[in-house]
Amino acid sequence: MPGLTASGHSHRPTTKASNKAFKSRKATKGAIRDAAKGKVSSERGVRKTPHQQVMSKLDRRNQAKQRQAEKHREHQKETLIFSGKDGAPRHVAVIPLCGSCDAAAAIHSLNESVDLEAEVPEGLFRVSVDRFKQKLQYFPSARDLTACLDAARVADFVVLILSAEEEVDELGELILRSIEGQGLSTVFTVVQGLNKVEPSKQRASVLSSLKSYITHFHPEQEKVFSLDNRQECSNLMRSLCSTTPKGIRWRDERSWMLVEDVKFADSESEFTVLTGVVRGKGLKADRLLQIGDFGAFQIEKVTAAPLLTKRKKGDEINADEAAAEDILDVPTEDRDDVAELAPEEVVMDDAGDADMGNDAAPAPKKGVLLDDHHYFSEDELEAYAPPKRLPKGTSKYQSAWFLNDDESDAGSDLDDYEMEDAEPEHPAGPEDGEEGYAAYAPTEGGRSEYPQSEMFVEPEEDEDARQLTAFRKSKRDEARDDLEFPDEIELHPNVLARERLAKYRGLKSLRTSPWLEEEDRAYQPEEWQRLLRIPNYQGSRVGAAREALVGGVAPGTRVNIYVKGLPVTFHESCNPRRPITLFSLLRHENKRTVVNFLINLSSDYPTSIKAKEELILQCGPRRLVINPLFSLGGNTPNDVHKYCRYLHPGQSAVATFMGPVTWGAVPALFFKRPAADSSEQSLSLTLVATGTALAPSTSRVIAKRAVLTGHPYHIHKTLVTVRYMFFNREDVEWFKALPMWTKRGRSGYIKEALGTHGYFKVTFDGRINPQDSVGVSLYKRVWPRNAKPLEGVLLDRDFVPATRVEEAGDDDAMDAEIS
């Protein structure tokens, strides 16, 4: 073997590693530039929208500068009304929440911090803050709910006063929740009497406690200012003079004014002159004015009312020149009328055509109305026959070739009803029609409790009455625990159901079945045809809002408004401690229609509210006394909504009544006065609910449901004998077309009447349980009631609650009818 030589031997290198070359997932800008080799693409890139375009640094700076300039212009536009020698004053409402708080002393502390020695009179007054070149208009409010609400809804800034020694009582919390619910502009919180807290180490904890309390209602509050500290008062004055108020949306869509001075008329035929500064949108003489709680009035003319100032070099003002008034606006032919209803000569129906009214009596019926057809009329040629079970798609001609099997329906694979795929907002039960039918196929598994069909033997009257009394007594105890059928009614054996329920009809489906309105015209209120019809609410609302944007007296102008027809009570009820507010109504806002409000009952309110119970509503500039109907919300294809007899704590519903139109989603407050038996309540008024204005509609049907239930007497497979629903044969024949259902989800129809005591046979789509209940649903349209304007103040300490008047009739049966 030859030996190894040095020249032929080599070693594998151990210190050199050849790594894999790096490949980036995305090309760098430099690589793209090198690959392009100076070429410029004709297209701007694959990004199409402006937000996707790649901007240069110069473009980004320019865009940011434009946004900044736009914000500056918006800020100047918002504060322009307050700038200048003749600028409008900033309205500051000072509201005490505790009994020991003093609004006048709080204003005096704020003025002293900026070296103002002005006295604090009672009521509205104006001061000029030279340090910040602004004017403030204070309104020191007493602990009066009406005055606080009126002052807060026309205020740019609301100053809430808390006490360092006293907690907020029930009245203070009612005021706080109420002004919060109606809409608030910018809020500041101050504390009074902090220096009286001893030892001084506890003052920080008191401030922390007060801040925790107020942030529960207004989380944006970052600081509680102390009125005993001059520096903090000066900082608050700086904020009042320099902060841009955030405003209230519903208020800023209208023209409004806080009345500074009133020149009362000697009689209703003369003019009453109201002086103030126009705010919000431009004031138009063609629109109506809502003056406090006194109603809507027409404007006769609007004149300028500038503040008198001394001229330079001691020149005196000419008396004739001061008395001269420049007319700024006068009404035109497009002036709004104060009439709330359409004239009686022209009565409009839903389509907008002339109608003859509701004097015609309804045609006599010989059977119950189911959807839009009367069944069991003797004038019909074809006798009634139970519906056949047919395959889907079977024509009328082909149906003649399918024989109806009356002996047994069980085991059929044919569909009686077509289920809807869409789920309703509120889960529907068996009593609501097709949505409540059982979604499972009928079955005959297991032996029946009654294997053979028995011959029907009519019981004796005394024995039948005794069994009915025992059955209803046990059933009432069960319903009280279960509450499965809140709309269930019980008929007296001596009462004819077809007369007791003459206004009721049947519906195959509460959500989709058509509602025949001609059947209700005989029962509608007298003024129903004279109400305002709004076929396109959204378009009408936008048109009224846009109309307020153009023309009128410019905001910030101090004017005199001449109004005729103010009642004598206006002069008598004027109080310096209560502000007088004006709101210019949008077009048609004085006309009456069927208005709807979303109402949210507070979970803190312990009891339920019954429908048609008296409530006090405050919505925007108006306060009304209403008796609302409650119904379920949501959108349905047939615009039919179920009536609710009660509104329980924590629930929401739609409150409906006849009242003036309100455009837009304006917040609403619902107050309730206690009954005579609620002596434990200290206040004579309670804020029970809040809400929002919804679209008004005269075509929205509120259907009151009545559920009649019966007891399965004999069961043979799917053929069931039912008793205790009706008590005579004629009632069975009258309501024979209505679909039957059980609370466990079965559906069926009446096969035939038995005897003379109201027994009848029902064929169901499957077996039913002997403990089940058989029911039938009937519906009747209920009509809303008129609203009345509130007279007097909201909260009267001397108010004596009236005795509650219960409506006639059995509450378990039905509410009193509205004729």
Side-chain angles (χ1 to χ4, degrees):
M1 182 176 179
L4 298 174
T5 61
S7 60
H9 178 74
S10 65
H11 294 279
R12 180 181 298 174
T14 59
T15 59
K16 183 179 180 182
S18 58
N19 296 325
K20 187 178 180 180
F22 174 76
K23 293 182 179 180
S24 76
R25 295 180 57 192
K26 298 179 181 178
T28 61
K29 294 180 181 179
I32 295 175
R33 186 172 58 250
D34 294 341
K37 296 180 180 181
K39 297 178 181 180
V40 180
S41 176
S42 60
E43 297 183 2
R44 198 175 176 182
V46 295
R47 297 182 175 98
K48 301 300 180 183
T49 63
H51 298 287
Q52 293 175 335
Q53 299 292 342
V54 178
M55 294 187 299
S56 64
K57 187 175 183 181
L58 182 62
D59 292 338
R60 292 196 300 271
R61 282 184 175 179
N62 186 36
Q63 191 180 64
K65 186 177 180 180
Q66 290 176 352
R67 286 197 297 263
Q68 185 178 8
E70 181 64 24
K71 289 183 179 180
H72 181 65
R73 284 193 296 269
E74 292 179 359
H75 176 71
Q76 282 187 333
K77 185 178 179 181
E78 292 174 352
T79 58
L80 182 63
I81 192 174
F82 303 122
S83 60
K85 181 180 65 175
D86 297 329
R90 296 168 178 255
H91 298 188
V92 182
V94 184
I95 299 176
L97 299 182
C98 302
S100 60
C101 296
D102 188 1
I107 295 175
H108 185 72
S109 300
L110 293 176
N111 290 340
E112 277 190 343
S113 65
V114 290
D115 301 327
L116 289 177
E117 301 298 334
E119 297 182 359
V120 182
E122 186 180 30
L124 187 70
F125 71 100
R126 178 187 297 201
V127 296
S128 179
V129 185
D130 297 334
R131 180 184 299 183
F132 304 111
K133 299 181 180 179
Q134 291 291 322
K135 293 179 284 293
L136 299 180
Q137 196 163 28
Y138 292 106
F139 192 90
S141 300
R143 282 168 53 85
D144 183 0
L145 179 61
T146 304
C148 292
L149 285 173
D150 290 342
R153 66 184 175 188
V154 294
D156 298 311
F157 302 95
V158 177
V159 179
L160 303 175
I161 307 177
L162 299 176
S163 174
E165 301 176 333
E166 182 182 353
E167 294 183 355
V168 178
D169 56 359
E170 189 178 0
L171 176 58
E173 187 168 342
L174 175 62
I175 294 174
L176 183 58
R177 292 184 182 274
S178 299
I179 62 175
E180 179 188 13
Q182 75 170 357
L184 268 178
S185 188
T186 307
V187 180
F188 294 101
T189 308
V190 298
V191 56
Q192 206 169 39
L194 188 62
N195 287 348
K196 298 180 181 179
V197 177
E198 296 295 341
S200 59
K201 294 182 179 180
Q202 293 184 356
R203 297 173 185 174
S205 61
V206 170
L207 272 178
S208 177
S209 176
L210 294 176
K211 182 180 178 182
S212 175
Y213 174 80
I214 200 63
T215 51
H216 174 72
F217 299 95
H218 301 282
E220 74 279 0
Q221 295 294 292
E222 299 178 354
K223 183 178 177 60
V224 177
F225 297 89
S226 175
L227 294 177
D228 298 328
N229 190 323
R230 182 183 177 89
Q231 183 61 40
E232 291 192 6
C233 290
S234 178
N235 293 340
L236 178 57
M237 289 292 289
R238 179 184 296 274
S239 299
L240 292 175
C241 295
S242 60
T243 303
T244 303
K246 65 179 183 179
I248 305 173
R249 182 174 179 179
W250 69 265
R251 181 186 70 181
D252 295 338
E253 290 178 351
R254 297 160 173 82
S255 178
W256 55 276
M257 188 175 76
L258 177 61
V259 177
E260 301 176 5
D261 189 19
V262 182
K263 183 180 178 181
F264 298 101
D266 297 334
S267 62
E268 293 187 5
S269 60
E270 298 182 1
F271 295 125
T272 300
V273 184
L274 307 171
T275 305
V277 179
V278 178
R279 299 291 304 276
K281 296 294 185 292
L283 177 63
K284 296 183 180 180
D286 289 336
R287 303 284 83 84
L288 297 178
L289 274 185
Q290 177 70 29
I291 303 177
D293 295 331
F294 299 98
F297 302 91
Q298 291 179 330
I299 300 176
E300 299 299 330
K301 63 178 179 178
V302 181
T303 61
L307 291 174
L308 299 179
T309 57
K310 292 184 179 180
R311 294 182 176 180
K312 295 181 180 180
K313 299 180 182 180
D315 294 342
E316 295 182 358
I317 301 175
N318 190 0
D320 297 336
E321 183 180 352
E325 296 181 353
D326 296 334
I327 298 178
L328 301 179
D329 197 8
V330 292
T332 63
E333 295 180 356
D334 196 24
R335 186 182 192 179
D336 288 344
D337 192 5
V338 294
E340 297 181 354
L341 297 172
E344 296 182 359
E345 292 78 8
V346 182
V347 180
M348 307 302 292
D349 62 0
D350 294 338
D353 300 328
D355 191 78
M356 298 303 294
N358 57 350
D359 297 335
K365 297 183 296 183
K366 298 183 179 181
V368 69
L369 177 66
L370 179 60
D371 288 354
D372 55 353
H373 186 69
H374 287 283
Y375 288 83
F376 307 115
S377 176
E378 295 178 358
D379 299 333
E380 293 182 353
L381 298 178
E382 297 180 0
Y384 167 75
K388 295 182 179 180
R389 296 178 176 271
L390 302 174
K392 288 184 178 179
T394 304
S395 66
K396 183 178 180 180
Y397 174 77
Q398 293 172 337
S399 64
W401 298 92
F402 287 86
L403 299 180
N404 191 18
D405 186 7
D406 294 338
E407 297 298 329
S408 177
D409 302 331
S412 174
D413 57 349
L414 306 177
D415 297 329
D416 290 321
Y417 303 95
E418 294 181 4
M419 302 296 293
E420 291 187 359
D421 296 334
E423 295 183 0
E425 181 180 354
H426 300 276
E431 63 274 18
D432 291 327
E434 293 181 0
E435 292 88 348
Y437 290 145
Y440 48 87
T443 177
E444 289 193 0
R447 295 180 59 85
S448 172
E449 184 179 358
Y450 303 95
Q452 295 180 353
S453 178
E454 300 180 3
M455 181 180 63
F456 176 72
V457 179
E458 191 168 351
E460 297 180 358
E461 293 186 4
D462 297 340
E463 179 64 19
D464 191 29
R466 186 190 63 79
Q467 293 180 7
L468 173 62
T469 304
F471 170 74
R472 285 186 171 177
K473 182 178 179 181
S474 62
K475 188 178 179 182
R476 184 174 291 109
D477 294 338
E478 181 182 356
R480 196 171 291 173
D481 299 333
D482 235 4
L483 296 178
E484 291 191 27
F485 297 102
D487 299 318
E488 181 179 349
I489 67 173
E490 293 179 351
L491 297 176
H492 194 273
N494 298 328
V495 175
L496 297 179
R498 59 185 180 276
E499 295 180 0
R500 181 73 168 88
L501 306 173
K503 298 180 182 180
Y504 284 77
R505 68 185 71 185
L507 293 178
K508 294 180 181 178
S509 173
L510 181 61
R511 289 176 50 84
T512 59
S513 294
W515 187 275
L516 195 62
E517 296 187 2
E518 286 75 9
E519 296 291 325
D520 304 320
R521 293 194 182 274
Y523 311 112
Q524 64 188 14
E526 295 180 357
E527 64 271 23
W528 186 262
Q529 297 294 341
R530 300 174 60 193
L531 297 177
L532 179 67
R533 301 297 198 267
I534 307 176
N536 182 9
Y537 170 77
Q538 190 66 17
S540 302
R541 183 191 66 82
V542 173
R546 287 179 178 176
E547 190 180 21
L549 299 176
V550 183
V553 181
T557 308
R558 194 169 187 269
V559 298
N560 289 328
I561 302 177
Y562 288 76
V563 182
K564 182 187 291 185
L566 279 172
V568 181
T569 56
F570 174 72
H571 189 186
E572 298 174 352
S573 60
C574 283
N575 188 344
R577 295 191 175 187
R578 295 196 181 109
I580 302 175
T581 60
L582 298 183
F583 283 87
S584 179
L585 301 179
L586 301 179
R587 187 182 289 271
H588 306 303
E589 274 197 324
N590 188 54
K591 297 179 180 178
R592 197 187 306 172
T593 185
V594 179
V595 293
N596 302 305
F597 282 84
L598 176 66
I599 177 172
N600 303 310
L601 186 59
S602 174
S603 57
D604 298 334
Y605 190 67
T607 60
S608 302
I609 298 179
K610 188 178 182 181
K612 307 175 205 171
E613 195 170 352
E614 184 178 281
L615 298 176
I616 299 176
L617 167 71
Q618 174 176 314
C619 179
R622 287 183 284 226
R623 297 188 181 99
L624 303 171
V625 179
I626 62 174
N627 299 88
L629 301 178
F630 299 140
S631 60
L632 298 180
N635 297 324
T636 58
N638 56 0
D639 205 10
V640 178
H641 305 268
K642 181 183 173 297
Y643 169 77
C644 301
R645 286 179 170 86
Y646 287 90
L647 184 62
H648 301 286
Q651 290 185 351
S652 299
V654 177
T656 304
F657 58 92
M658 288 189 290
V661 177
T662 301
W663 296 120
V666 181
L669 303 176
F670 295 88
F671 298 94
K672 182 182 177 183
R673 285 173 175 166
D677 53 358
S678 56
S679 58
E680 70 279 356
Q681 195 168 3
S682 58
L683 293 178
S684 61
L685 194 73
T686 306
L687 178 63
V688 297
T690 58
T692 308
L694 301 178
S697 175
T698 54
S699 60
R700 190 178 190 271
V701 177
I702 302 178
K704 181 178 181 180
R705 184 177 66 190
V707 176
L708 295 176
T709 57
H711 175 250
Y713 184 48
H714 285 166
I715 301 177
H716 176 58
K717 295 185 179 180
T718 59
L719 195 62
V720 181
T721 301
V722 180
R723 62 175 179 175
Y724 299 155
M725 181 179 291
F726 304 107
F727 301 98
N728 57 77
R729 188 182 185 91
E730 291 76 12
D731 287 343
V732 177
E733 296 292 343
W734 182 273
F735 296 101
K736 196 173 183 180
L738 298 181
M740 297 285 159
W741 49 266
T742 68
K743 68 178 183 179
R744 298 175 186 264
R746 287 300 179 189
S747 61
Y749 58 88
I750 297 178
K751 182 179 176 62
E752 61 177 339
L754 300 174
T756 60
H757 288 184
Y759 288 60
F760 56 92
K761 287 185 178 180
V762 181
T763 301
F764 286 99
D765 59 353
R767 292 185 181 276
I768 71 170
N769 193 293
Q771 302 300 324
D772 207 347
S773 295
V774 180
V776 63
S777 299
L778 293 165
Y779 299 92
K780 178 193 71 170
R781 184 172 186 176
V782 289
W783 304 94
R785 295 186 176 183
N786 269 319
K788 300 178 296 183
L790 177 67
E791 297 179 359
V793 296
L794 275 173
L795 181 59
D796 189 1
R797 289 304 184 94
D798 299 330
F799 173 77
V800 178
T803 305
R804 180 178 301 174
V805 179
E806 297 292 343
E807 297 187 16
D810 187 3
D811 288 340
D812 294 333
M814 285 179 293
D815 295 338
E817 303 291 341
I818 304 176
S819 57

